[in-house]
Amino acid sequence: MPNAPFVDLGVHHRPVGLSDRIALGFTRMLRLVADTFFAKRYGHRAIVLETVAAVPGMVGATLVHLKSLRRMEDDRGWIRTLMEEAENERMHLMTFIEIAKPTLFERLVILGVQWVFYLAFFALYLISARTAHRVVGYFEEEAVISYTLYLQEIDEGRSPDLPAPAIARHYWKLADNATLRDVVLVVRADEAHHRDVNHGFASELAGIEPAAHVAPYPEHADQLRVAA
């Protein structure tokens, strides 16, 4: 991949107030669970975590949509942004399913985790949308770290650099000879974008000036449906 997307690995939102500290603590707890359960099986980790990661955008978009209808006011572009985030995370999942081939046990874990997380995040968003977006911002900070470690595993030969699945080549407009390393680079850039957007939403809800810079997305396909 000739022009790998730049990702600022040093971005971390310093918690301000109880809401941010709760969000960070919850994220670190989930990170510990993921590290314990998956260790360095990054492909399988991605399958379960991307299933969860695709939930917040859909929940947020739904509740912002209903709020906009109730109050008869503009959504300021949040609905489209959150829906696109949910779809983008789903494409991450579709890609890593082709790479890691989840076991029956992992599929059952996904079913349980998704329902629990959906209900918990829905409740959290109703109680405090600010905390919910901060949780996602911290989730995405951890995702950037995880994909950076995955790149190291590939570069040092501990994980095979497989050919990129067709669905990934189409979605990110990658070359025909693209590999897993190219896929991880663009997925990491996607996560950096979600990180900055959600931290920005949380800051806006808290009355704090959002960061001026938002990590850009890699280029995505206009049409998502493709035979993998």
Side-chain angles (χ1 to χ4, degrees):
M1 189 174 181
N3 295 309
F6 171 76
V7 171
D8 186 348
L9 303 179
V11 171
H12 171 64
H13 174 80
R14 182 173 159 273
V16 179
L18 180 61
S19 175
D20 286 3
R21 289 184 172 85
I22 290 173
L24 181 58
F26 178 62
T27 302
R28 286 179 172 170
M29 179 190 71
L30 290 183
R31 175 63 189 248
L32 178 62
V33 172
D35 287 345
T36 302
F37 188 80
F38 294 107
K40 293 189 175 183
R41 298 166 62 236
Y42 289 106
H44 294 268
R45 176 198 292 250
I47 288 174
V48 176
L49 297 186
E50 293 294 356
T51 304
V52 170
V55 168
M58 188 62 70
V59 169
T62 299
L63 293 177
V64 172
H65 173 69
L66 294 175
K67 178 182 176 182
S68 177
L69 293 177
R70 287 195 310 274
R71 297 189 177 183
M72 302 180 191
E73 62 183 19
D74 185 65
D75 71 307
R76 296 171 296 161
W78 284 37
I79 297 171
R80 184 178 294 277
T81 298
L82 292 169
M83 287 291 290
E84 204 285 329
E85 176 186 314
E87 186 170 72
N88 178 253
E89 297 286 9
R90 182 176 60 82
M91 292 304 294
H92 293 178
L93 174 65
M94 296 299 103
T95 295
F96 282 105
I97 284 175
E98 294 292 319
I99 292 168
K101 307 294 183 186
T103 63
L104 176 60
F105 174 71
E106 286 165 337
R107 290 178 181 271
L108 292 175
V109 168
I110 287 169
L111 286 175
V113 169
Q114 185 185 80
W115 272 108
V116 170
F117 185 76
Y118 180 90
L119 295 174
F121 192 83
F122 193 96
L124 176 61
Y125 206 100
L126 287 174
I127 295 167
S128 174
R130 168 192 169 182
T131 305
H133 282 293
R134 191 69 76 199
V135 164
V136 179
Y138 285 134
F139 274 9
E140 302 296 7
E141 286 185 18
E142 294 295 338
V144 169
I145 293 171
S146 291
Y147 284 115
T148 299
L149 294 173
Y150 196 0
L151 283 172
Q152 291 178 5
E153 292 290 303
I154 294 171
D155 289 343
E156 294 170 10
R158 289 188 292 273
S159 290
D161 192 14
L162 304 170
I167 193 170
R169 296 197 309 272
H170 172 79
Y171 180 61
W172 284 284
K173 301 184 178 181
L174 301 175
D176 290 341
N177 62 348
T179 66
L180 174 58
R181 187 179 192 280
D182 300 317
V183 172
V184 174
L185 282 169
V186 290
V187 169
R188 184 178 66 170
D190 285 345
E191 306 294 17
H193 177 80
H194 299 319
R195 173 197 67 193
D196 295 349
V197 167
N198 279 279
H199 276 319
F201 283 170
S203 294
E204 188 174 335
L205 290 169
I208 303 170
E209 185 68 25
H213 176 72
V214 174
Y217 259 153
E219 188 177 5
H220 296 147
D222 296 327
Q223 299 295 326
L224 294 184
R225 188 172 296 279
V226 62

